[in-house]
Amino acid sequence: RKLSRSWIADHIHAQMRRAIATRALRATMNFHFGKQGRPRFKGLNQMASIAGEEPKNTLRLRDTRIHWLGLSLALEDGGDQARLRHAVVSDVRVIRIVRRRVRSRHRYYVQLVCAGTPYRKPGLDFGTRRVGIDPGLRYLAVATTTSGALINIAPLSIERTISRLSRAVSRKTASRVALSTGDSNLKSRRLRHLQSRLADEHRRSMETRRNLHGRIANAIVRLGTNLYIEKNSFRAFQRRYGRTIQSAAPAAMIQHLIRKAANAGGEVVLVSPTLRMSQLCHGCGAIVPKDLDLRMHVCVCGVGPVQRDIYSAWLAIMTRSDPTGSVRWFDADQARSAWSGAEQRLPAASKPVSIDLFEDWIEAQVASGDGSVASPDAGTERLASEACVKLGEARDVVGNMPRARESRADQRPVRKRSAAYAVALP
């Protein structure tokens, strides 16, 4: 009622006002149900998007133009005319105008929510292999039944600039508070410039990360759409490694990959972490805890050396479930029969490869047809420690050994405690 009687009613229609009220109600309900955080107040000039309830009223799409309040706005394709044509001819359900600040200037975009299948780039074919994925903080381990690779999902080129600008903004803010004359909203030109640059760098980082995740997801679905993903608690990772999670966004990467596989008609299986794939050896069945700095799996039964995360992703493929899908277990017999073809191709290095090298490896895998291409190897690392225990002793200490903590403050005592249980080659 207040919206309809204020000056806002002269600029937005009744449908837009109802859409804004629906968004506010949904945000409040999700907060009370524990699905999202506390809703933030939208003050002056903070509404960054508007939309109508129906695409045929308020905001209307005709050919390649948006009509709104007597305005006829042309859509620019940004060089991708095929995607624009696909969106225009689709069944449009929602039309939304979004305002974004790019290089200290406001730019306006149109989002078209369409029904049906999404646009697919020419030449993007989906594979039929089974792909295992072990997501980490900054790296993503990808493995097939015959090979694997480790890739970096965090853009590192912009993080230094963001850190430098954040420190500069903090210094200017602290000096402004110390010399404040009572007007808390007064900002210097230098501070406004630094804040604008910092916001722009965050935007660039988000777009670069999203582009990188899209390239990785497109490359993975070319191998196969049957994905076996280890289910990690990214919320727990965020509480402990907030800055790393912010730069890499592994949860967003996994959601992007799941959406790609679902659109292709594939199957996505979330493997429970209770199976302890990173501690399991398929050769002898022993479950031996490993320290965090030990990135190589080497067992006295002869399995290894192999990179720990890639080996965990490879073991995720060897899991099976009952017909109902409620119980999932590890199939050791299948893993032993498949190990003969993968032993020489799984990498023994944990240095991640670049996205270009990973895409070239995917191209070679798809071209070979049978997955006979060796994994990309970007370096070497140290093997297991000098400590070597018998297999029976390793099995006895599994239930009694405390879990390794991942905080940096507790890293040294955990290393001393777990060094005696590391399994190495004799």
Side-chain angles (χ1 to χ4, degrees):
R1 294 176 181 176
K2 290 184 178 181
L3 286 177
S4 61
R5 298 174 183 175
S6 64
W7 60 271
I8 301 180
D10 298 334
H11 300 274
I12 59 176
H13 294 282
Q15 282 200 354
M16 286 189 176
R17 296 197 295 270
R18 289 195 294 266
I20 294 174
T22 304
R23 288 173 56 188
L25 177 61
R26 186 182 296 113
T28 305
M29 293 177 61
N30 291 337
F31 169 68
H32 285 290
F33 293 151
K35 295 182 179 180
Q36 67 182 31
R38 180 183 295 273
R40 292 176 293 179
F41 174 76
K42 294 294 185 181
L44 185 63
N45 294 328
Q46 290 185 354
M47 287 292 295
S49 64
I50 54 174
E53 291 183 329
E54 296 181 1
K56 296 182 180 179
N57 298 324
T58 310
L59 287 172
R60 297 181 301 273
L61 175 64
R62 295 177 180 174
D63 295 332
T64 58
R65 303 186 72 89
I66 295 293
H67 296 269
W68 176 43
L69 292 177
L71 299 177
S72 179
L73 309 174
L75 298 181
E76 298 181 1
D77 53 15
D80 195 352
Q81 298 181 0
R83 184 183 299 273
L84 179 59
R85 288 195 300 268
H86 176 81
V88 170
V89 300
S90 301
D91 183 12
V92 180
R93 299 297 178 86
V94 178
I95 302 176
R96 183 184 299 115
I97 295 181
V98 181
R99 181 184 63 183
R100 294 175 181 172
R101 191 173 181 85
V102 180
R103 294 185 179 90
S104 302
R105 293 181 58 187
H106 287 297
R107 298 180 184 271
Y108 297 88
Y109 300 87
V110 173
Q111 293 180 351
L112 304 178
V113 182
C114 305
T117 58
Y119 172 75
R120 183 189 302 178
K121 291 183 178 180
L124 180 59
D125 300 326
F126 300 120
T128 58
R129 297 185 180 93
R130 293 182 298 169
V131 182
I133 297 174
D134 184 11
L137 296 177
R138 190 182 292 270
Y139 305 126
L140 188 73
V142 180
T144 61
T145 55
T146 55
S147 57
L150 188 70
I151 51 180
N152 191 351
I153 61 175
L156 301 177
S157 58
I158 309 178
E159 298 303 322
R160 292 183 178 179
T161 306
I162 292 179
S163 300
R164 179 175 55 83
L165 290 175
S166 299
R167 291 193 299 268
V169 170
S170 300
R171 290 193 300 267
K172 295 293 291 185
T173 304
S175 62
R176 183 178 65 88
V177 172
L179 301 176
S180 177
T181 59
D183 189 358
S184 58
N185 295 325
L186 185 61
K187 297 180 182 179
S188 64
R189 182 183 301 176
R190 175 64 177 172
L191 179 58
R192 293 196 301 267
H193 177 68
L194 289 175
Q195 290 178 343
S196 177
R197 287 189 56 192
L198 180 61
D200 195 65
E201 291 297 332
H202 277 293
R203 178 194 58 80
R204 290 181 54 201
S205 177
M206 180 190 65
E207 293 180 354
T208 304
R209 181 172 59 247
R210 186 179 300 175
N211 184 20
L212 179 64
H213 290 179
R215 293 177 60 185
I216 295 174
N218 289 335
I220 291 177
V221 295
R222 293 200 62 187
L223 280 179
T225 56
N226 298 325
L227 307 180
Y228 297 79
I229 305 174
E230 185 174 357
K231 185 179 180 181
N232 293 331
S233 178
F234 295 107
R235 187 178 295 271
F237 287 165
Q238 187 177 12
R239 288 195 297 265
R240 183 169 294 180
Y241 307 103
R243 186 171 298 178
T244 303
I245 292 296
Q246 180 184 5
S247 61
M253 173 69 219
I254 295 301
Q255 292 298 326
H256 192 170
L257 189 58
I258 291 176
R259 185 173 66 253
K260 285 276 188 180
N263 291 334
E267 180 187 9
V268 178
V269 177
L270 298 180
V271 181
S272 174
T274 57
L275 296 179
R276 294 185 285 187
M277 293 298 164
S278 61
Q279 303 174 5
L280 177 66
C281 178
H282 76 277
C284 56
I287 299 179
V288 181
K290 301 181 182 69
D291 197 5
L292 290 177
D293 63 343
L294 182 61
R295 309 312 303 170
M296 192 80 67
H297 175 82
V298 183
C299 187
V300 294
C301 66
V303 176
V306 60
Q307 209 280 330
R308 174 180 174 178
D309 299 327
I310 298 178
Y311 182 63
S312 176
W314 184 82
L315 291 178
I317 306 177
M318 307 304 165
T319 56
R320 292 293 176 266
S321 64
D322 59 348
T324 61
S326 58
V327 180
R328 195 163 195 86
W329 69 90
F330 174 70
D331 191 353
D333 296 334
Q334 183 186 7
R336 294 189 187 100
S337 61
W339 180 250
S340 59
E343 181 178 6
Q344 303 298 328
R345 296 173 187 160
L346 291 178
S350 64
K351 184 178 179 181
V353 299
S354 62
I355 179 61
D356 296 330
L357 185 60
F358 179 71
E359 289 178 336
D360 293 341
W361 175 67
I362 295 294
E363 290 287 345
Q365 287 274 31
V366 174
S368 64
D370 56 354
S372 59
V373 181
S375 302
D377 196 349
T380 58
E381 62 177 331
R382 73 177 184 87
L383 298 179
S385 60
E386 299 294 336
C388 180
V389 296
K390 296 181 180 180
L391 184 58
E393 297 177 357
R395 289 175 176 173
D396 294 337
V397 301
V398 168
N400 300 326
M401 179 181 174
R403 293 187 62 184
R405 291 173 293 180
E406 297 185 356
S407 62
R408 296 184 179 179
D410 301 327
Q411 188 174 4
R412 183 170 299 175
V414 170
R415 185 183 296 114
K416 290 182 179 179
R417 202 163 48 242
S418 60
Y421 307 113
V423 178
L425 288 174

